[in-house]
Structures are given as structure tokens and as C-alpha cells.
Amino acid sequence: MISANNVTYRVGKKALFEDVNIKFTEGNCYGLIGANGAGKSTFLKILSGALDTTNGDIAITPGQRLSVLEQDHFKYDSYPVMDVVIMGNQRLYEVMKEKDAIYAKEDFSDEDGIRASELEAEFAEMDGWDAESNAAMLLNGLGVETDLHYSMMSDLNGNEKVKVLLAKALFGNPDILLLDEPTNHLDLDAISWLEEFLIDFENTVIVVSHDRYFLNKVCTHTADIDYGKIQLFAGNYDFWYESSQLIIKQRKEANKKKEEQIKELQEFISRFSANASKSKQATSRKRALEKIELDDIKPSSRKYPYIDFRPEREIGNEVLTVEGISKTINGEKVLDNISFIVGHDDKIAFVGGNELAKTTLFKILMGEIEPDEGSYKWGVTTSQAYFPKDNTEEFDNDYTITEWLMGYSSVKDVTYVRGFLGRMLFAGDDGVKKVKVLSGGEKVRCLLSKMMISGANCLIFDEPTNHLDMEAITALNEGMIKFKGVELFSCHDHQVVQTTANRIIEILPDGTIIDKITTYDEYLENDEMARKRTVYTSTATED
């Protein structure tokens, strides 16, 4: 168990948390939620001991091991992948290295033998002989190929490093597991594997995530941070949302009844306070009035942007034809003879583990790079707006936010442009901020403003939920569902894919595709059944 006891944490004069008391118990998975800036990551750091409290303390059951998902992707570049994962149990790693160092000695003494014997006993007690196979299981489950398991961390790309650090956090059955955005940069297959891992995990998990589907799948409880307080709900994210809305509704209705009662009492007092025969009743009602207190209902600190993509022109029947497109990047054939036709009602989710393949296809369709072979053709009634995964070049300039968006607007009017920025929660002086200093989330909201102002009838999104908070993801999801046009997109948010897409195109590891008109959940169910059939056929053949 881990608990916060009267915890206060201040940044300058501002109290980010004040007098927080909460217990996280064994066998439960807690989703830690709250608006951007509410302090979710800070609270995890306080729980882990990385930050000291201003007041109060954190208590952990004696003897329990705490594991944290680290965020520094370059910290272990000088270590092999397998070593990094086993470092998840630091004591086991230390024993393993000390044992290896003793056996490597040329002048092996009696004292070395005694020490080696002690280490061997401790190593066996910690299940050390299965450490590498257990680490490999975690890496394989997260999609890190076996031939990378003994590579140096410096040789891995960013997504692979994220998976290794996650495997490190999960390794060795920790008693308390703290995960800050564990699904970031994971493909949907890896997220699905992690969901099943956490569902089966028997100890304590505290997780911060903007993925609503993920939280609904794994969480038994929800801890909501709002206005420096943490309120605990039994149930997943959807249960929290329904419960919190119901509580607010009940408190408002209770206040309404109290206000009506106050009005009646005030009218009686005003009418009869000067009447001698009614003065006792008026005095009694004054006392009753003094006892009535309205509930202080603070508005939530959460803010939802308003995302509404409105095409200026209705799309025709001919939208997009892709014929035999192939592309090789750095010696790898990421697209191999891909062909498909897009209809005017299509909202297509592109899925699969090869992120580069999806990004490459979108760049080709937007004319940013040329295919090695094949062609594509947009219909004459179409207009396109594109959300790139890498937006570095887009904001490498000295424009203010308003000037930047004005460059993409057909209406050269500041008030008109600021209206779109206002929908995305840029208010007041935000309009004069330089785009080069914006945070990741602010840049994403700028790009969504640009797509809204474009009036395009074909939208292409390459991982648009990265860097967004839960409220912005919810707003984007609703905007994508309502959009009266064509959408081609890749996204790691299961709920966005499931609720938006009516067609799934999976880009396979060999660069070919599977194209199905179906929802995402139906696609996954059929894919799981196909895998089971393959396993059964293989087993039957071997027999």
C-alpha cells in the first residue's frame, strides 16, 4: 500500500496540492486524471519520492518495491537493452553484476567463493535464473523484436526506447507501479498487450493517461485532481464521469431547493416582521434562514475546446484513387504496391505497427514526397487539410499565433482568425505569443485551428492526439465524428478509432495492406479469430 498523508505541495506561493489524504491499496489500478496543469505528473513524482512535499508525507508498506516509468529516453544509451529491463529490479541487477564480476576474476579466492555462494542464493530467491526470459517476454509483448534484445539502447529509435523503459518498469512484479502516460508512442497492438498485462497484475497500479479506452479497460478506481484536491471514485473513467456529473447535478438541484426556501422565508420575514401577532414566527424564520447554507459549487478547472470541421464545398463521388504505390525508406520497403479507392462517405483508420509506413503514405498523398512507383489522384471536388506527426518545420518561424493562422485564412481579418483561436482556448494575450515557444499541446491546438479554418472536405490526421489532454481529445473525437467529409487518419487512441472509422486499412510489416469495411473492434475481433485459427492449423499440422 502507498498513501499520501496531509500532503501539501507549493510552487512559490501557489499550492498545487493542499492537505491531500488518499490511500492506494493492493489489487487495484487507479487512474489519476485531471486537466492539464492540475498536477498529475507532479503527484506521481511526489509518490515516487522524486519530489519532496511542502507538508505531509508519503507512506509505503515496509518491504514493498516501487517501480516508476522513466521519461528520460537517453539515460541508458550506454547499456544493452536486456540490462536496462533487468534494472527494473535494481537489487537483482546488482547481484547479477557482482556475481559475474567475481566469476570473471583470475585469482578466485575462498572469500570470493563464499561471497559467490551468498549471491547465488539471493539470485535464486529473486528468480534470477528466469530474469532474461521474463525480460524477453515483456519486450516481445510490447513489440520489441528479439534481435534487438541485446543491442545497445543508443541503437534503438525513440519508440523502441519508450517500450524498453516500459518493460523496465513492469519487470520483476513490483509491489507498486507508477505509470505516467504509458501508452504514449505505443502502437495499438502494444497498448492492447499492456491492457491485458495490467488487468492481470495483482499489485497496486497508479496510472496517468489521456487514453479514455485504456483507462476504462484497466482501472478499478479513478482519482480525480481538481482545485488542489484529489477525490477517489470506485470505478473506471466512464463511471467517474457519470458519477461526477450526477453529483454536480444533485448539488445544483439541492441549491435550487434551498434558494426557493430562502426566498419564501425572506418574503415572510419582510411581510410580517413588523406585525406583533406574527413577530415570533418571523423571528423563528430568521433563525431558520441563518442555518441554510448553499453548497459552494466550484466550476471544474477542466476546459474543453470547441472543434468543428466544416467543409466549404460538398464532396463529389470521386475522392481519391491510389494505384500501385511503393516506397522504400532507408533500404526498407515500407509500402509495397498499395492500391485502394476512397469513397465520399469513408472515414478510414490506418493501423499497424509500422508508424513510418503510415506517415510515408500520408506524405505522398499530400505531395510532400514522391512514390518510387505507382500514382494517386484526388477528385476535382476535393480539398485537403493535413495534420503531420512531426510539426517542427511548421512552427520554425517568428510569427505570433494570430499572424501564423492568418497566413492560412482566406478571410484576412484579425477578429475572424482570433475566433478560431478562441475555440481552441487561446484567449487574450495568447494571440501575440510566438509560435516557436508554444508547448506540444498548444502546437497541436494551433494545427487543429488551421484545419478548421481551411474549410477542407478531406482531412488527413497523423497521430493527432499526441500531446493533447483528455478534454481536447474528447473534443477532437466529437469533431471527427460530426465531420461531413472524408477522413484518413492514424491514431493510438482506441476510442477515437472505434467511434470515428467505418473502414480499416492495416499496413502489414511487408508493406502490403488489408482493407476492410468494418469498425475497429469488429476488425480486432476477426483478427484475433484469424490468429487462433492459424495457431490451431499449425498445431494440427505438427501433430
Side-chain angles (χ1 to χ4, degrees), residues 408-419:
Y408 297 105
S409 175
S410 58
V411 179
K412 303 300 181 182
D413 177 75
V414 172
T415 304
Y416 176 78
V417 169
R418 285 200 168 187

Side-chain angles (χ1 to χ4, degrees), residues 64-98:
Q64 291 200 336
R65 185 169 67 85
L66 183 145
S67 183
V68 180
L69 173 58
E70 297 181 76
Q71 304 296 323
D72 185 351
H73 301 167
F74 304 99
K75 181 177 178 180
Y76 298 99
D77 274 3
S78 61
Y79 293 91
V81 168
M82 185 60 69
D83 279 21
V84 173
V85 177
I86 296 174
M87 284 179 195
N89 186 335
Q90 188 61 35
R91 180 54 190 163
L92 173 62
Y93 181 74
E94 289 169 357
V95 168
M96 184 176 74
K97 288 301 175 183
E98 185 181 352

